[in-house]
Amino acid sequence: MTDDEKWRIGLAAVVEEFAALDEARRSAVVALVHQIMAVKGEIAACFSLVDGAAVCAQCGGECCRAGRYHFTVIDLLAYLVAQQELFTPSFDSGACPFIGGAGCLMEPQFRPYNCVTFVCDRVELEMAPDPRQDFNSLCDRLLTCYLEMEALLANRFRSGLLINCERYLDGKAAMLDAVDRFLPPRELEEK
Ligand code: SF4
Ligand code: SF4
């Protein structure tokens, strides 16, 4: 199966499972997505403070050559919650499937965890100790939000949407909501 097919199948399953969430968990997911987007916005602002974009523009995006597995189910949830039109990746470009002629196809607050938290040596050199400490604390907060989302839905998302789709196709896990689909009713009652 191609990555394009996995993308389409995974996407459809997440949309369906998100719509089927009970009201309490749906509200919790929406609240977490808002937190995630806010923290990513703060990370982007911190990056701008050291003019990271200028360093990256000069480099041309060396670290964006292998992003195939960076986009996760959690990142897709941000598009669904914000009702933002999703981009079309190109899995046969040889580069990151989520890069276009003008750079990343995602705005900073939608970009995957791996992308927004990574700084190479060149950017790090531009960072004074205080902004670096702020940046690290924001990355920690973001990781906490991602872990909370995994706990809420009893699923693992960090390997990327394509890997989740492989597990889903193998019948090993739901795409999104492993609580209702995979735990026996008795364990659900005890929650
Ligand atoms: S983080 Fe570093 S490697 Fe990545 S695009 Fe920026 S300068 Fe290039
Ligand atoms: S998703 Fe965007 S930021 Fe991340 S590696 Fe791909 S192009 Fe770069």
Side-chain angles (χ1 to χ4, degrees), residues 63-64 67 70 96 98-99 103-106 111-112 115:
C63 63
C64 292
H70 287 180
C96 173
F98 314 115
I99 200 162
C104 186
L105 297 172
M106 291 168 249
R111 279 182 201 155
C115 307

Side-chain angles (χ1 to χ4, degrees), residues 31-149:
L32 261 177
V33 164
H34 285 308
Q35 273 186 51
I36 285 170
M37 292 181 69
V39 177
K40 285 181 181 175
E42 287 187 63
I43 289 176
C46 197
F47 199 69
S48 300
L49 267 184
V50 296
D51 210 8
V55 183
C56 296
Q58 268 189 340
C59 144
E62 267 174 34
C63 63
C64 292
R65 301 245 160 91
R68 178 171 303 255
Y69 297 109
H70 287 180
F71 188 84
T72 66
V73 169
I74 297 176
D75 305 316
L76 173 57
L77 284 173
Y79 280 84
L80 298 183
V81 169
Q83 299 186 332
Q84 177 91 359
E85 192 181 340
L86 192 62
F87 52 83
T88 305
S90 39
F91 288 104
D92 50 6
S93 67
C96 173
F98 314 115
I99 200 162
C104 186
L105 297 172
M106 291 168 249
E107 292 301 316
Q109 71 272 34
F110 288 97
R111 279 182 201 155
Y113 174 87
N114 289 0
C115 307
V116 297
T117 57
F118 176 76
V119 286
C120 71
D121 292 350
R122 269 163 286 175
V123 177
E124 182 133 24
L125 274 177
E126 302 293 319
M127 283 181 154
D130 282 354
R132 177 72 215 191
Q133 218 165 29
D134 294 346
F135 186 87
N136 288 346
S137 316
L138 288 166
C139 293
D140 289 347
R141 267 172 59 199
L142 188 59
L143 179 61
T144 302
C145 293
Y146 271 63
L147 294 176
E148 278 179 31
M149 190 72 88

